[in-house]
Amino acid sequence: MADDQMSDYQNRNLTPIIDDGFVHVDGESHVLNYDTDILKLDGEREVTNLTEYDDGGDRNPSAHRRTPKKSTETEEADVELSPGGILDEETIARGLSNLGRSANGTGQVYLNVTVPGFSLIDISALGNYIHLQRVEIPYNELTDLSPLSNLLYLLLLDASHNKISKLLDFRPPKNLKEVDLSFNMITEMSDLSAHHYLSKLNLDNNQIREINGLQNCQRLTALSLAHNKVTKIQGLDNLPIQFLNLCHNEIKKIQNLETLKKLKVINLSGNKIRSLKGLQGHDLLESVDLEDNEVIDISEIKYIRDLSMLWQLNLLRNPIQELPDYRLNVLFRIQRLTSLDRHKVEVEEKVAATNMFNPPAEVIAARDHIMHVVYSFLQPSRVWDSTLPSIETPYPMLVLVGPQGSGKKDLALKLVEEFNDYFGYGISHTTRRPFQEEIPGKDYHFVTLEKFEMDIKMGQFIQTYQYNGNWYGLQMESIESVAREGLACVIHMELEGVLTLKNTYFEPRYVLVMPLNEEAHEKRLRARGIYSESQLEYTLNRAEMYKQHNRDHPGFFDMMINSDDIKEAYKHLRRLVMDYLGIGMNTPPANDHGDTAFDSQGMSDQNVAPQLGPRTWSKPSIPDSVSQSFMRAKANQSPIMSGRGIVEEASLKRRQSAAKEAVAGYIPPLFEQLLISFPKTAPQTVEGQQGLGEQQGGDGQRSFSAPVNKAQRPRSADSSSDSSRSSSSLSGLTSASDAQQEESNEGSVQQEGKGIHLPTETVNPLELMSEPGEQSSRSGIHEPRPPSNPRSHSRGSNRPGSDRLKVLPPIGAS
Ligand SMILES: Nc1ncnc2c1ncn2[C@@H]1O[C@H](COP(=O)(O)OP(=O)(O)OP(=O)(O)O)[C@@H](O)[C@H]1O
């Protein structure tokens, strides 16, 4: 019957056309029984449908050298199948399956045959079964497949594990779609132009050295040549290959893939590849396997980082794995990966990667702050006098914030120059070289990188930030030296510095100094003639970032000043400051910054934008009259006086009462409270620090980095809060006004018991202890407290630095 049908087709010249699972004969379409997946791309060859055999799926080839599954027990009679390796009808009959319609739909025929493991050397008998669509003859000893030329409808051929040395060297069944000739003895590929429909070709585990003969296989979507001897990727131009497996060959270079526009999966593991160059531009590429190669340089990732579909990457057993933070580095560079080195990528890893290589400003600031707090804890000797936090009196500070070239440094210096009775300039440290007109110790403390790093480790910094390759930082001493003179401190810094500062107990007022006109800003930067194009671009981009931040975080800055015109900007800053100080409203500027002190526009002036938010410039809780009269009084004082000033008196008083409490054991010493604040994060942070000299990738900026567990901090000297916490009001909060205020409400403050005060040697502890009245007045308010640490007593009287200037204004508040 088979012959009849065959001749029928031939007589009628009905050449079946097979496409997309349909066979089209004489105008009719029939569904093909086509269901296979013989092509494995992982290099691990599996025999399809192993479970059909008696061995239950044993992959040992010898296990297949046995009879196919018997349908009944009676059929197990001793019939010798295919004696001498010549395939006989009986064997074929037992291997037939999948009864279906013939291609023309007129008869019922078997479509599949499976005859594995018979040591077959001759399969001529198969030539009679022209309707077969699927032939599986693995694990035999075949060298010749020419009988298959008759199988007009053959779609799938599995002749793996044989002794075939020539590739498809028989008259081709025109519709052959999938071929598995893995584990044979093929040494070279032949021209497969006749196989127009070939879509999957598996030639794993042969001896092939060169890829060729495929140029006309315009439907080839999957090609596997694993475990061969291919030395060069070639001969694949313009093929629609989606899955390419060239693992375990001798390939050194990824090349000639440019025209494989449909490539989705490529396996090049087990080769000698060093560079990923050649993978770029494959926009559909989803998976790259380069395990066991010689990739050593992390920068190679650039060739695949822009592949928008890539989700799977394997670089196991490459030297690149030895790089520190390799995994996070790769994940940072290719954030869309969901599998790396055969391991699922967790969201936490992506966050960690970003935090490590391009941390958001908040993360930088938090780390920076924690690092400096920790380093300062580690210092054995501290001069507590000048760092005493008090409850109600934030040390007055004014911070000018803005992008480089906004003119904030000039504004700060000018302000300090004019209002030198009120403000002192908090000089930052920097590792950059001074510009021509800059004076060391006035504009900045210019220090070496080594010195900067050393100072960090000595816990001297409150905050550091790397900008354009240089480090900047504000030291406690810079603030203290201003505070010692009874002055409020003016500093300037970038946004990231502010974020750190907002983590500390300082509560400055923040003024955004913003060049709103980009052209003017650029002009000013260019006029300096010191910045490269990339630095300019970077700074201008940051200016945008400032604007955005200001929009997104209402209340973050206390106000904004347009600095397009620096003289105008100063006039407005000056007026604001005077307004707040409550002094000299009619005083003309004592400098060349304007003809008159203020214009009539007042706060509504367009150059001054008070920020919406919970805070206002002046502190409502202190009556203006009080603060202003105090400030006026203060204005008449010299900041450095021979006798004890009002500020000093206040400070002394506070510390005396602090000493009483500490001696009486009411309040744990400061250092204990601080340690309680950061029991977990501190050591980890310090250990994780890297040297300043170490560069990082990404944008070239960083603060010291270390993994940070964001801890909930109790109120203490380091009374951090979220980054957008409002700063305190500057109004009425100079040291002096603080003193006044303290005088009026000292009792209530002390009763709250939140202040952290240390005794000074100006106070005799024994004397203090003998003041029962005071103690009893507190005892009704405080919970009973454990006895204070005995060490605190001795520390109180003997601590280093106790011979320093004794009376200093307090800094910060809880
Ligand atoms: N301690 C600090 N923390 C963070 N940023 C700082 C610190 N000290 C200075 N900066 C900022 O680093 C940037 C670079 O400093 P640089 O001295 O080169 O700028 P600048 O020309 O003075 O800036 P501007 O003209 O805006 O005053 C400036 O924006 C400056 O304000």
Side-chain angles (χ1 to χ4, degrees), residues 105-139:
T106 57
Q108 295 283 315
V109 290
Y110 281 105
L111 301 174
N112 298 357
V113 68
T114 306
V115 282
F118 286 90
S119 304
L120 296 176
I121 54 174
D122 182 349
I123 54 167
S124 306
L126 272 184
N128 298 327
Y129 293 81
I130 64 161
H131 294 288
L132 288 173
Q133 293 178 8
R134 177 172 182 145
V135 172
E136 293 176 336
I137 43 176
Y139 296 102

Side-chain angles (χ1 to χ4, degrees), residues 564-623:
D564 287 341
D565 179 334
I566 200 72
K567 287 187 179 172
E568 281 300 308
Y570 182 71
K571 276 207 287 185
H572 294 297
L573 178 64
R574 178 178 184 275
R575 193 194 60 223
L576 286 165
V577 165
M578 293 179 78
D579 189 26
Y580 131 71
L581 290 174
I583 57 166
M585 298 298 288
N586 297 314
T587 310
N591 50 54
D592 59 356
H593 279 292
D595 312 328
T596 56
F598 311 113
D599 57 33
S600 58
Q601 289 169 295
M603 291 291 286
S604 62
D605 189 290
Q606 59 181 358
N607 284 344
V608 184
Q611 303 298 295
L612 294 177
R615 304 177 50 206
T616 59
W617 179 246
S618 54
K619 186 178 180 182
S621 59
I622 299 176

Side-chain angles (χ1 to χ4, degrees), residues 122-174:
D122 182 349
I123 54 167
S124 306
L126 272 184
N128 298 327
Y129 293 81
I130 64 161
H131 294 288
L132 288 173
Q133 293 178 8
R134 177 172 182 145
V135 172
E136 293 176 336
I137 43 176
Y139 296 102
N140 287 293
E141 291 173 18
L142 297 171
T143 56
D144 177 23
L145 297 177
S146 58
L148 301 178
S149 304
N150 288 344
L151 310 188
L152 213 54
Y153 307 109
L154 187 64
L155 298 177
L156 184 146
L157 168 63
D158 178 359
S160 60
H161 295 270
N162 277 284
K163 294 184 175 172
I164 297 158
S165 58
K166 294 267 165 48
L167 174 58
L168 299 181
D169 65 332
F170 52 91
R171 186 161 60 88
K174 282 188 181 160

Side-chain angles (χ1 to χ4, degrees), residues 403-409 428 432 444 463 472 492 494 528:
Q404 189 178 43
S406 61
K408 55 195 180 305
K409 190 174 86 185
S428 278
R432 85 154 158 75
Y444 283 104
Q463 158 278 331
Y472 295 83
H492 65 95
E494 291 279 336
R528 292 183 179 176

Side-chain angles (χ1 to χ4, degrees), residues 369 499 502-505 507 710 713 715 718-726:
H369 169 59
L499 288 168
K502 287 208 174 195
N503 285 318
T504 68
Y505 55 72
E507 298 189 0
K710 189 143 182 151
R713 282 170 283 204
R715 289 173 75 82
D718 169 69
S719 62
S720 314
S721 60
D722 64 88
S723 62
S724 61
R725 181 186 69 182
S726 296

Side-chain angles (χ1 to χ4, degrees), residues 392 740-750:
E392 81 289 12
Q740 269 201 342
Q741 192 186 1
E742 173 150 313
E743 269 178 17
S744 64
N745 52 9
E746 182 188 30
S748 63
V749 167
Q750 295 298 339

Side-chain angles (χ1 to χ4, degrees), residues 12 63 83 136 165 170 175 258 526 549 561 622 685 696-697 714 754 762 765 814:
R12 291 159 60 195
E136 293 176 336
S165 58
F170 52 91
N175 305 306
E258 297 79 10
R526 284 191 186 281
H549 191 89
I561 292 180
I622 299 176
T685 305
Q696 73 159 47
K754 288 189 277 183
T762 58
S814 61

Side-chain angles (χ1 to χ4, degrees), residues 400 402-410 428-429 432 435 438 444 463-465 467 472-474 492-494 496-497 528 531 546:
L400 302 185
Q404 189 178 43
S406 61
K408 55 195 180 305
K409 190 174 86 185
D410 291 345
S428 278
H429 283 62
R432 85 154 158 75
F435 302 135
E438 285 181 322
Y444 283 104
Q463 158 278 331
T464 49
Y465 180 58
Y467 185 87
Y472 295 83
L474 185 63
H492 65 95
M493 56 176 52
E494 291 279 336
E496 288 78 357
R528 292 183 179 176
Y531 306 121
Y546 273 90

